[in-house]
Amino acid sequence: MLLAPEAAACDRRLDLVDALEPRIRALVPEADRRRRLVTELEAAPEGSLRHLLVGVKDIFHARGLPTRAGTALPGGLFAAEGVEEADADCVAALRAAGAVVLGKAVTTEFAYFEPGPTRNPRDLAHTPGGSSSGSAAAVAAGYCELALGSQTVGSVMRPAAYCGVVGFKPTFGRVSRGGLLACSPSVDTVGLFAPDTATAARGSAVILDAWDPASAEGRREAPRPVLGIPEGPYLRQASPEGLAGFEEQAARLESAGFRVERLEVLSDIDEVNQRHRDLHGAEMALEHAPWMEEHLHLYKPLTREFLLRGREIPEARLLAGREGRGRLRHQLERIMAAEGVDLWICPSAPGPAPRGLQATGDPVMNLPWTHAGLPTLSLPAGLVGQLPLGLQCVAAHGRDEALLAWGVALEAALRPGGGRASTFASAGLIFQ
């Protein structure tokens, strides 16, 4: 039997969806969301996430909710067998912990760059980012406290930064991708959005393989992490206002007692960027090969162009992209070990969310860390006008628990007076 407080809490969030969704458009439309949610809330098992509402990016399968991936292509081409009864592995894990699926969140077409209809809750005239646009916007608007996304280049970090919420991309391979439509399997990573780091850690404890609660708790008592700034051509990819905001963030952390080291790294960022783009394009073309030719006319222009270019990439460049992942990871971790750096810090995006809905922004600040498979965390860290800026924190491979635990302290230093992101609803912002 559903208890009154649980029903009331769900009703409040659904009232918010009803009020804001015609303008934000973060969720895939659903005929009778309330009726389904009441049924799922009543059936939710006991667990660490009991009755927590979760948005699911529309490239993950979720039972009872069709997967459309933001495309006009027939869903049967990429639907899981028995999709009405199937959950992606991470969705199943969240449901087993008592979470309830709010609905499918809008994605760009096949998680590439062709924008969907979602608008940024912080300012409707600006992009929410991509490709996990709906997931980030749903958390920012207060619809739910957790949302699933995925990152192939910057699709968790960038929308988290643009929408002013926490985004977490785990170490590559620590979350099962079963039931996820692949984009580039060599780098695709399941990620999470949340209003604060503590909530992101609760969700991560459920979906990450071999989660170590002792490590997560112990790290909170450990000394503050040493922070490294990756000086050089990588950092100069950010915009002037993005760099100015980042320097202010770094100064705030130093004032709070964090040690910050400036190190020259990623001098070959142009080569890393090209390697990753080749890998992404070639692998996505391979994933779409079974149906691409027959349905090419149904793809949106940016996706179609990328797939056509991707299938022309020579195998040697594809293999070079795959091989370069481990090499970059070891280079970065050798520097961290030699210099005593625990976390890299850098902008989560080149600057605040660009104006307009025709593009989703540039993921260039996220690319090398995704290529290396390292865990990253985006924290809300200031504003340009009313548009949020994010701070990206990067840990060594497999140190996800430490990153999230340290993130709580970093969050408090960056946002004095509380470690919780200010959502659209709680901030009281009003559409014009």
Side-chain angles (χ1 to χ4, degrees):
M1 189 73 174
L2 191 61
L3 301 177
E6 297 159 348
C10 180
D11 276 343
R12 284 194 298 272
R13 292 198 182 270
L14 288 177
D15 287 345
L16 198 60
V17 171
D18 289 344
L20 302 183
E21 187 58 7
R23 288 164 286 182
I24 295 178
R25 301 179 69 184
L27 302 176
V28 176
E30 187 176 340
D32 197 348
R33 196 184 309 274
R34 283 181 186 268
R35 184 185 298 274
R36 178 182 61 79
L37 281 175
V38 167
T39 301
E40 292 197 19
L41 284 162
E42 290 176 341
E46 295 291 342
S48 61
L49 302 179
R50 182 164 170 78
H51 294 149
L52 185 145
L53 294 184
V54 178
V56 176
K57 183 177 181 178
D58 193 21
I59 59 168
F60 294 88
H61 294 310
R63 68 173 185 267
L65 297 171
T67 303
R68 295 310 311 271
T71 187
L73 271 69
L77 295 173
F78 44 85
E81 186 176 353
V83 66
E84 293 301 316
E85 290 75 39
D87 273 333
D89 291 346
C90 55
V91 176
L94 291 168
R95 278 180 156 152
V100 174
V101 174
L102 169 66
K104 287 294 192 79
V106 171
T107 179
T108 60
E109 186 179 40
F110 289 114
Y112 187 58
F113 281 104
E114 192 77 54
T118 307
R119 305 166 86 181
N120 192 323
R122 299 290 174 172
D123 188 325
L124 295 179
H126 291 253
T127 178
S131 61
S132 306
S133 51
S135 296
V139 172
Y143 297 173
C144 53
E145 286 201 283
L146 207 63
L148 284 169
S150 66
Q151 181 156 307
T152 303
V153 188
S155 296
V156 173
M157 297 295 100
R158 185 169 85 264
Y162 287 172
C163 294
V165 299
V166 169
F168 175 54
K169 182 200 79 70
T171 295
F172 175 72
R174 276 203 73 178
V175 181
S176 169
R177 291 173 298 170
L180 167 70
L181 295 185
C183 189
S184 177
S186 293
V187 287
D188 288 343
T189 307
V190 177
L192 290 171
F193 298 89
D196 52 63
T197 306
T199 304
R202 287 176 64 200
S204 298
V206 169
I207 67 171
L208 265 69
D209 290 338
W211 177 262
D212 183 1
S215 175
E217 287 299 320
R219 190 60 54 186
R220 291 194 178 95
E221 307 302 322
R224 287 177 172 148
V226 176
L227 309 175
I229 293 179
E231 294 280 10
Y234 160 74
L235 196 59
R236 290 195 293 270
Q237 296 175 122
S239 70
E241 61 185 347
L243 282 173
F246 172 66
E247 290 298 339
E248 193 276 333
Q249 294 160 9
R252 221 182 313 167
L253 292 173
E254 284 191 288
S255 296
F258 290 88
R259 179 178 146 207
V260 177
E261 299 288 341
R262 294 177 179 268
L263 303 169
E264 290 280 339
V265 295
L266 293 170
S267 60
D268 60 343
I269 190 60
D270 289 341
E271 290 82 359
V272 173
N273 289 345
Q274 190 58 57
R275 217 166 48 224
H276 190 88
R277 291 174 188 133
D278 287 345
L279 172 62
H280 182 187
E283 289 197 337
M284 189 168 173
L286 289 172
E287 290 296 319
H288 286 252
W291 58 75
M292 184 173 119
E293 200 62 50
E294 182 180 354
H295 299 283
L296 192 61
H297 64 290
L298 293 176
Y299 285 94
K300 296 174 184 176
L302 289 178
T303 316
R304 181 169 60 245
E305 179 186 354
F306 189 65
L307 290 170
L308 290 173
R309 192 165 64 244
R311 70 181 183 182
E312 300 303 318
I313 292 172
E315 184 180 12
R317 281 163 56 190
L318 168 59
L319 295 176
R322 289 173 175 167
E323 187 274 334
R325 296 167 302 157
R327 186 170 69 248
L328 178 61
R329 168 189 157 190
H330 293 308
Q331 287 173 353
L332 291 166
E333 291 186 334
R334 276 199 301 270
I335 295 170
M336 294 176 79
E339 302 293 338
V341 166
D342 297 302
L343 298 177
W344 297 107
I345 59 168
C346 47
S348 297
R355 187 175 181 83
L357 304 176
Q358 296 75 38
T360 62
D362 192 340
V364 70
M365 304 310 296
N366 319 117
L367 184 151
W369 318 113
T370 306
H371 193 71
L374 301 179
T376 58
L377 180 69
S378 181
L379 300 173
L383 297 170
V384 175
Q386 67 178 5
L387 294 172
L389 289 175
L391 178 73
Q392 184 173 217
C393 308
V394 187
H397 191 272
R399 302 202 71 192
D400 304 70
E401 292 90 343
L403 173 58
L404 287 163
W406 281 327
V408 173
L410 290 163
E411 191 174 53
L414 290 165
R415 194 171 47 246
R420 189 174 181 82
S422 175
T423 65
F424 176 92
S426 63
L429 300 178
I430 300 174
F431 292 120
Q432 300 299 319

